[in-house]
């Protein structure tokens, strides 16, 4: 009888809707490790969902979740049809090996418990953290929201529980900074209990991290979060049986509704007190060959007390056998470990020679075989169950023809609503600021204090607070994209374009976050696995227009672009993106090699955003904005006012003829009125004083540099003060232009003052300073130049002083060149 010929195919060759079984993953290094941890291992069934609008990457479904890969990565994964794979010998469920070596806790009089929250991205860790502690940390329906540790304290039954929320991670290996960060925290800070938060709707993939925690021999409690989604799917899960099998208590929770929290806190106390009957330490059986290799390496490790004091023997042997480069280098640096390393190398060589597969892939396969076997005994799903329902919006949102237009529409709608909806509360606030300025101005005597309060404090801070509603609307829109899961789709849609400019598709997420604030966007680059991608993304994030620049745009667009405000604003953001693309291409050729990281990104199920989370997000941003106004902006406004108010000579300098001429020209179009004439010459006198003040001298000093851009000295001063924070640009303008052009007793808002501002000296005397071209050029300069001090500090912390200084210099140079081009070309028309 002839053997049936099995035809090898690659995952990239499958058509939409086609299903196959993975038989082998080729390639090396980071790709193999990440792909294995995400579930692309021998025996896994995978289905092709669809291609991105630009045909790459491709969306796949496996282990009841969805993930995207580029075609180049799918070319490295061999598959068979389900019929052909039925004849293959799958790896058996090896079960567990009992262990007597459980790490004990010395209690004594200690009444505090250090707890670390660990879990995959998007599993609900931060929601649980907020629920337990009453904090309002940011949460989102995509990976990388938590980019640093957050700690809080709570009390329960006489215990003080110190809770730490760690970044989301798929494993604790060597692949990305957040994985190493989490591993370092667990091994160095030694939390008393690790709470492993698991997405109940995605058990198979989430339990991979659990198997690594089991290897570490630490006290673990599993939180089965989003348990309601599992129940709604019709699945039957015997979590108690799984808890008995792996020796870890499992607590079902619904963190978004506050269900299961008290049970979790009680379980943390019970396991810390070693009063939990379910808890015991087990070893996963990886099969006879791997188990034997672990045992041989463990015998060598036990001879080194320094090593065994720091790491559990079994865990150390597994990490060495996986050939984890970071961990191996750490062990090699310890004294007396030469024979341990040599033993590990020998065992790796034996396994790879025997099975023709990398040792790390063999261990990952064995872990997933264990997970499948455990779930086979405890989880019963409905037949033909898919994740189609939770991904239904993708039929339109990531459609090959509709995906891009819908994305661009969302961007336009976000910017347009910032104006149309924000204008009403902004007008109310503006009216309130004007009333307060008039009230204080008419009830206080003239003098320095009057000028400080009216011109400095109200003129500076009041000019900025008006734009709070616009900023809140912007953050509301960004929060909706994050909470629903659309942020990950934006990265999926944009990956091919990002790839063309040398960036990873996941770079789009921190870049998009940069529209809210550049500082957390810089921190979010930690989720990128490649150092090159992290650094390159950091360098171009400052061109993503943050909300701090929005007040400048709203002010100038409202004053000079009454029509098509949303389109003008969208064009500014678009120019920022285009400049970022150009600089990325340049940097790729100058600084970075062409080595690329694989595009492996989970596409989370769509979820309804909660009003509570959205309001918390907006409230936090408003508090940050208001606190900045009460500190940085207030301080800067007072300094700017003082520099403009002093020196005050006892003998007033004579008013220059040019200034008198400007005042007379203003009167030609007005009815003759002695009061108006007096006011205009008072304005001329005050303008003369402003130019001779300290701030006037600073402005005139830098004016030659910015004159080719169409800017006057007051614009120059606003640019300089904006180095601290971009909101100060508007505050500075509010102070500098406060006394100008108030030709009647009523307050004239800043937009009107900018429209009427004229040159008081030089060849353009009497001409308008601002025109639509100058206003647009100014907005582009503010968009591109020196990011605020907080962003520079974040880059310095993440990448070093050299790159922080480079960012300051190159962004300002780019801003000048682009603004020069726009102004000079615009003048030709």
């Amino acid at each position: 009888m002839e053997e049936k010929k099995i035809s090898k195919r690659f995952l990239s060759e499958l058509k939409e809707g086609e299903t196959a079984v993975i038989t082998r993953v080729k390639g090396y290094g980071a790709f193999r490790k990440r792909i294995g941890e995400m579930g692309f291992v021998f025996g896994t069934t995978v289905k092709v969902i669809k291609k991105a609008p630009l045909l790459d990457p491709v969306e796949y479904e496996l282990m009841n979740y969805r993930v995207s890969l580029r075609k180049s990565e799918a070319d490295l994964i061999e598959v068979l049809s389900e019929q052909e794979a039925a004849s293959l010998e799958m790896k058996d469920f090896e079960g567990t090996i009992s262990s007597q070596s459980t790490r004990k806790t010395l209690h004594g009089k200690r009444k505090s418990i250090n707890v670390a929250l660990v879990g995959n991205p998007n599993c609900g860790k931060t929601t649980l953290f907020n629920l337990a502690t009453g904090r309002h940390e940011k949460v989102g329906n995509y990976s990388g929201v938590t980019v640093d540790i957050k700690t809080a304290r709570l009390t329960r039954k006489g215990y003080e529980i110190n809770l730490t929320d760690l970044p989301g991670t798929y494993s604790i290996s060597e692949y990305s900074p957040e994985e190493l960060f989490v591993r370092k925290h667990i091994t160095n800070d030694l939390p008393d209990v690790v709470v492993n938060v698991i997405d109940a709707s995605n058990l198979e993939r989430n339990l991979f991290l659990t198997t690594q925690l089991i290897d570490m021999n630490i006290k673990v409690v599993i939180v089965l979060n989003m348990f309601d989604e599992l129940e709604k799917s019709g699945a039957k899960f015997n979590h108690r049986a799984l808890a008995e099998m792996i020796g870890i208590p499992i607590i079902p929770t619904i963190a978004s509704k506050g269900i299961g929290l008290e049970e979790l806190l009680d379980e943390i106390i019970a396991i810390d007190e070693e009063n939990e009957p379910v808890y015991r330490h087990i070893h996963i059986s990886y099969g006879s060959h791997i188990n034997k290799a672990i045992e041989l390496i463990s015998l060598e490790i036990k001879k080194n007390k320094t090593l065994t004091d720091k790491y559990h023997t079994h865990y150390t042997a597994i990490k060495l056998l996986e050939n984890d480069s970071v961990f191996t280098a750490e062990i090699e640096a310890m004294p007396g470990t030469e024979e341990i390393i040599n033993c590990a190398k020998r065992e790796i060589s034996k396994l790879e020679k025997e099975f023709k597969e990398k040792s790390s892939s063999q261990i990952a396969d064995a872990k997933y075989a264990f997970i499948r076997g455990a779930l086979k005994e405890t989880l019963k799903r409905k037949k033909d169950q898919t994740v189609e329902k939770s991904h239904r919006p993708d039929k339109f949102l990531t459609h090959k023809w509709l995906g891009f237009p819908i994305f661009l529409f969302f961007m336009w709608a976000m910017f347009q609503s910032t104006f149309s909806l924000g204008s009403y509360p902004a007008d109310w606030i503006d009216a309130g600021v004007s009333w307060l300025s008039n009230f204080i101005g008419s009830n206080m005597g003239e003098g320095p204090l009057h000028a400080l309060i009216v011109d400095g404090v109200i003129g500076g801070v009041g000019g900025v607070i008006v734009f709070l509603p616009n900023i809140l609307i912007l953050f509301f829109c960004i929060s909706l994209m994050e909470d629903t899961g659309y942020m990950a789709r934006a990265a999926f849609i944009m990956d091919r374009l990002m790839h063309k400019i040398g960036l990873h598709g996941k770079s789009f997420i921190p870049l998009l976050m940069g529209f809210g604030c550049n500082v957390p966007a810089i921190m979010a680059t930690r989720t990128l696995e490649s150092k090159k991608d992290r650094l390159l993304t950091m360098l171009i994030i400052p061109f993503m227009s943050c909300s701090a620049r929005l007040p400048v745009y709203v002010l100038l667009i409202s004053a000079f672009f009454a029509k098509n405000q949303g389109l003008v604003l969208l064009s500014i953001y678009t120019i920022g993106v285009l400049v970022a693309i150009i600089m990325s291409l340049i940097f790729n050729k100058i600084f970075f090699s062409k080595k690329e990281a694989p595009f492996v990104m989970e596409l989370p199920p769509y979820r309804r955003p909660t009003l509570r989370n959205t309001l918390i997000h907006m409230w936090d941003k408003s508090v940050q904005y208001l606190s900045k106004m009460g500190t940085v902006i207030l301080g800067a406004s007072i300094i700017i006012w003082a520099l403009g108010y002093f020196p005050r000579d006892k003998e007033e300098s004579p008013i220059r003829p040019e200034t008198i001429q400007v005042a007379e020209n203003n009167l030609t179009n007005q009815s003759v009125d002695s009061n108006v004439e007096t006011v205009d010459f008072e304005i001329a006198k005050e303008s003369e004083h402003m130019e001779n003040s300290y701030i006037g001298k600073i402005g005139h000093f830098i004016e030659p540099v910015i004159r080719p851009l169409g800017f006057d000295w007051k614009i120059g001063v606003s640019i300089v003060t904006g180095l601290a924070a971009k909101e100060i640009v508007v505050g500075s303008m509010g102070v500098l232009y406060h006394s100008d052009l108030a030709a009647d007793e009523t307050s004239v808002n800043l937009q009107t003052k900018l429209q009427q501002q004229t040159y008081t000296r030089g060849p353009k005397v009497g001409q308008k300073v601002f025109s639509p071209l100058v206003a647009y050029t100014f907005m582009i300069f503010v968009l591109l130049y020196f990011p605020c001090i907080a962003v520079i500090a974040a880059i310095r912390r993440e990448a070093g002083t050299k790159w922080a200084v480079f960012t300051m210099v190159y962004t300002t140079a780019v801003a000048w060149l682009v603004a020069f081009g726009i102004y000079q070309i615009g003048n030709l028309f």
Side-chain angles (χ1 to χ4, degrees):
M1 185 176 179
E2 290 187 8
E3 281 191 15
K4 187 177 180 181
K5 187 177 179 181
I6 295 179
S7 57
K8 290 183 179 179
R9 299 173 68 192
F10 293 100
L11 186 59
S12 58
E13 298 173 20
L14 300 185
K15 297 178 181 179
E16 289 187 13
E18 205 169 345
T19 302
V21 177
I22 297 171
T23 58
R24 189 183 178 199
V25 178
K26 302 193 318 189
Y28 298 93
F31 169 71
R32 285 180 68 106
K33 184 171 285 290
R34 171 53 86 215
I35 213 83
E37 292 167 351
M38 296 290 285
F40 287 86
V41 295
F42 178 86
T44 298
T45 301
V46 59
K47 179 182 179 182
V48 184
I49 302 301
K50 69 153 75 80
K51 296 178 181 178
L54 294 178
L55 306 181
D56 201 20
V58 181
E59 181 180 353
Y60 298 97
E61 183 180 317
L62 71 159
M63 294 186 178
N64 206 44
Y65 84 105
R66 290 191 177 178
V67 68
S68 56
L69 292 180
R70 291 190 189 125
K71 182 180 181 298
S72 56
E73 278 109 41
D75 281 336
L76 298 173
I77 302 173
E78 290 184 0
V79 296
L80 292 176
S81 68
E82 289 185 289
Q83 293 78 12
E84 291 172 322
S87 62
L88 295 179
E89 184 179 343
M90 297 294 178
K91 290 187 177 170
D92 295 328
F93 172 45
E94 300 285 348
T96 63
I97 303 170
S98 296
S99 170
Q100 302 302 318
S101 57
T102 303
R103 183 180 290 176
K104 297 291 183 181
T105 304
L106 297 176
H107 284 282
K109 295 182 178 179
R110 183 178 66 83
K111 296 292 283 183
S112 66
I113 307 173
N114 296 320
V115 178
L117 289 175
V118 176
N120 283 194
N122 196 43
C123 67
K125 285 186 302 81
T126 304
T127 302
L128 188 67
F129 177 82
N130 289 340
L131 176 68
T133 62
R135 296 277 288 273
H136 297 151
E137 298 297 343
K138 189 171 182 288
V139 299
N141 187 21
Y142 66 101
S143 65
V145 177
T146 303
V147 291
D148 206 345
I149 63 169
K150 299 177 178 69
T151 59
R153 193 171 294 170
L154 63 144
T155 56
R156 177 78 174 178
K157 294 184 176 179
Y159 278 93
E160 187 178 80
I161 298 176
N162 302 308
L163 199 59
T164 300
D165 182 23
L166 296 172
T169 177
Y170 293 106
S171 75
I172 42 176
S173 58
E174 59 175 342
Y175 188 63
S176 65
E178 73 266 19
E179 292 178 354
L180 294 174
F181 185 87
V182 172
R183 185 167 83 187
K184 184 178 178 182
H185 180 85
I186 294 173
T187 55
N188 292 359
D189 294 350
L190 296 174
D192 301 306
V193 179
V194 170
V195 173
N196 180 201
V197 184
I198 287 177
D199 179 354
S201 63
N202 192 358
L203 289 167
E204 197 167 355
R205 213 274 320 288
N206 278 246
L207 283 169
F208 183 86
L209 177 58
T210 308
T211 63
Q212 294 181 316
L213 297 175
I214 289 172
D215 292 337
M216 296 182 82
N217 186 28
I218 53 179
K219 292 181 176 179
V220 180
V221 176
I222 290 177
V223 167
L224 205 59
N225 197 28
M226 296 181 254
F227 193 67
D228 53 335
E229 293 188 14
L230 181 67
E231 292 179 320
K232 285 177 184 176
S233 71
K236 302 295 181 183
F237 182 41
N238 189 346
H239 63 273
R240 293 181 180 84
L242 180 63
E244 292 282 352
M245 188 184 301
I246 63 177
I248 299 175
I250 298 176
I251 308 297
T253 65
I254 308 172
S256 60
K257 298 178 181 178
I259 297 173
L261 175 63
E262 292 190 2
E263 291 83 352
L264 170 62
L265 295 177
D266 290 342
E267 191 59 58
I268 289 170
I269 294 171
I271 200 168
D272 183 70
E273 292 178 341
E274 297 170 7
N275 192 27
E276 169 53 65
V278 168
Y279 176 73
R280 75 185 195 284
H281 182 63
I282 57 103
H283 288 160
I284 295 169
S285 177
Y286 293 105
S288 59
H289 292 84
I290 296 177
N291 288 342
K292 185 178 179 181
I294 292 171
E295 187 178 343
L296 290 171
I297 299 171
S298 297
L299 289 174
E300 291 296 330
I301 293 171
K302 288 175 182 177
K303 298 174 185 178
N304 190 312
K305 189 174 185 303
T306 305
L307 184 54
T308 56
D309 283 346
K310 185 167 186 180
Y311 297 113
H312 185 254
T313 302
H314 194 77
Y315 169 72
T316 306
I318 292 172
K319 297 308 291 180
L320 291 174
L321 200 57
E322 284 180 328
N323 203 17
D324 185 308
S325 61
V326 175
F327 188 86
T328 302
E330 186 179 342
I331 301 303
E332 284 179 325
M334 299 175 72
T337 58
E338 294 83 0
E339 186 51 40
I340 297 171
I341 299 298
N342 291 333
C343 179
K345 288 179 179 178
R346 287 195 299 270
E347 295 306 316
I348 290 171
S349 179
K350 285 182 191 176
L351 287 174
E352 293 183 350
K353 186 177 180 181
E354 174 77 20
F355 295 101
K356 305 293 188 294
E357 189 74 86
K358 288 288 181 182
S359 58
S360 58
S361 296
Q362 294 181 48
I363 292 175
D365 287 352
K367 284 182 181 291
Y368 273 113
F370 168 78
I371 293 167
R372 288 194 196 101
L375 291 180
K376 188 176 181 180
E377 296 183 17
T378 57
L379 176 65
K380 302 297 179 188
R381 297 189 184 276
K382 274 189 173 181
K383 287 185 179 180
D384 300 322
Q385 182 188 350
T386 67
V387 293
E388 185 67 31
K389 186 176 179 181
S390 60
H391 288 264
R392 222 172 258 167
D394 278 339
K395 289 182 179 179
F396 305 100
L397 298 182
T398 58
H399 189 272
K400 64 180 179 179
W401 300 116
L402 300 176
F404 260 111
I406 290 174
F407 172 71
L408 292 175
F409 171 76
F410 282 161
M411 294 295 102
W412 171 83
M414 178 171 70
F415 298 135
Q416 185 61 44
S417 62
T418 298
F419 277 102
S420 56
L421 297 179
S423 62
Y424 298 106
D427 289 343
W428 302 335
I429 296 173
D430 187 36
V433 170
S434 298
W435 176 86
L436 181 63
S437 178
N438 289 332
F439 177 78
I440 294 177
S442 60
N443 287 280
M444 281 187 70
E446 293 293 330
L449 183 61
H450 174 279
L452 170 63
I453 294 175
V454 174
D455 299 338
V457 177
I458 299 177
V461 177
V464 178
I465 197 173
V466 168
F467 303 104
L468 177 61
N470 305 90
I471 289 175
L472 290 182
I473 290 171
L474 179 66
F475 275 108
F476 174 79
C477 295
I478 292 175
S479 179
L480 286 181
M481 285 196 290
E482 293 173 349
D483 294 349
T484 57
Y486 185 70
M487 191 76 87
R489 271 68 184 185
F492 174 70
I493 290 169
M494 294 295 293
D495 175 67
R496 189 166 186 181
L497 287 179
M498 301 295 285
H499 194 208
K500 292 286 186 185
I501 63 172
L503 281 172
H504 196 283
K506 285 174 71 176
S507 295
F508 190 72
I509 292 177
L511 289 174
L512 198 57
M513 288 174 66
F515 289 141
C517 181
N518 285 176
V519 175
I522 294 291
M523 296 172 66
T525 59
R526 295 177 188 175
T527 62
L528 301 172
E529 292 81 8
S530 163
K531 183 178 179 181
K532 167 247 181 184
D533 287 330
R534 290 195 298 276
L535 186 53
L536 183 53
T537 306
M538 263 185 251
L539 289 177
I540 65 173
I541 278 175
F543 296 134
M544 301 299 107
S545 187
C546 67
S547 62
R549 298 174 174 105
L550 187 60
V552 182
Y553 307 151
V554 174
L555 171 66
L556 294 173
I557 291 174
S558 300
F560 299 100
F561 302 93
K563 296 180 180 179
N564 300 318
Q565 292 180 333
L567 286 175
V568 173
L569 184 60
L570 180 59
S571 74
I572 293 169
Y573 280 76
T574 302
I575 287 175
V577 173
L578 291 175
V579 171
I581 290 172
I582 293 169
M583 295 312 300
S584 176
L585 291 169
I586 293 172
F587 289 152
N588 244 329
K589 291 190 176 180
I590 296 176
F591 296 125
F592 305 108
S593 66
K594 295 196 174 184
K595 186 179 178 183
E596 297 175 352
F599 181 73
V600 187
M601 190 184 73
E602 181 182 357
L603 296 175
Y606 285 98
R607 292 192 171 97
R608 290 181 182 177
T610 63
L611 181 62
R612 179 179 181 273
N613 184 44
T614 303
L615 292 178
I616 285 173
H617 191 195
M618 292 175 66
W619 170 254
D620 287 346
K621 293 304 174 185
S622 64
V623 169
Q624 291 176 22
Y625 190 67
L626 292 170
S627 65
K628 190 184 287 188
M629 278 191 290
T631 53
V632 178
I633 296 173
L634 175 61
S637 298
I638 293 173
I639 292 171
I640 295 163
W641 167 82
L643 291 172
Y645 188 79
F646 296 105
R648 305 293 287 191
D649 296 330
K650 290 184 179 179
E651 294 185 9
E652 296 289 349
S653 302
I655 304 175
R656 288 181 294 107
E658 303 98 302
T659 308
I660 295 173
Q661 184 63 44
V662 171
E664 289 176 347
N665 290 340
N666 289 339
L667 289 173
T668 56
N669 296 323
Q670 298 175 359
S671 60
V672 178
D673 188 318
S674 60
N675 290 333
V676 172
E677 185 176 351
T678 301
V679 169
D680 273 324
F681 277 97
E682 283 297 321
I683 292 167
K685 186 176 177 182
E686 187 61 32
S687 296
E688 185 77 13
H689 167 75
M690 182 71 79
E691 290 200 40
N692 292 321
S693 67
Y694 295 127
I695 204 165
K697 292 174 183 177
I698 294 171
H700 286 300
F701 177 76
I702 65 172
E703 192 173 16
V705 179
I706 60 174
R707 192 180 294 127
L709 312 182
F711 302 162
D712 73 341
W713 68 272
K714 291 185 180 180
I715 295 176
V717 169
S718 300
I719 289 171
V720 171
T721 57
L723 298 178
K726 293 298 174 282
E727 298 97 334
I728 298 176
V729 172
V730 173
S732 301
M733 297 174 81
V735 174
L736 292 170
Y737 298 123
H738 185 82
S739 61
D740 292 7
L741 306 164
D744 54 43
E745 294 182 0
T746 61
S747 173
V748 180
N749 65 30
L750 189 54
Q751 293 173 19
T752 305
K753 292 177 183 179
L754 295 181
Q755 293 166 351
Q756 298 174 353
Q757 187 70 199
T758 58
Y759 286 97
T760 57
R761 64 169 66 175
K764 292 184 178 181
V765 64
Q767 295 181 28
K768 292 287 179 69
V769 173
F770 282 94
S771 66
L773 176 60
V774 172
Y776 196 82
T777 304
F778 183 36
M779 288 189 286
I780 295 301
F781 192 89
V782 171
L783 162 72
L784 300 176
Y785 89 114
F786 186 108
C788 71
I789 294 296
V791 174
I792 295 299
I795 294 175
R796 181 178 179 273
R797 186 170 60 248
E798 298 295 323
T801 303
K802 177 182 72 173
W803 291 109
V805 173
F806 176 75
T807 302
M808 290 189 288
V809 175
Y810 105 85
T811 53
T812 305
V814 167
W816 193 93
L817 290 171
V818 175
F820 177 81
I822 289 174
Y823 180 70
Q824 296 299 332
I825 294 171
N827 267 332
L828 298 178
F829 300 96

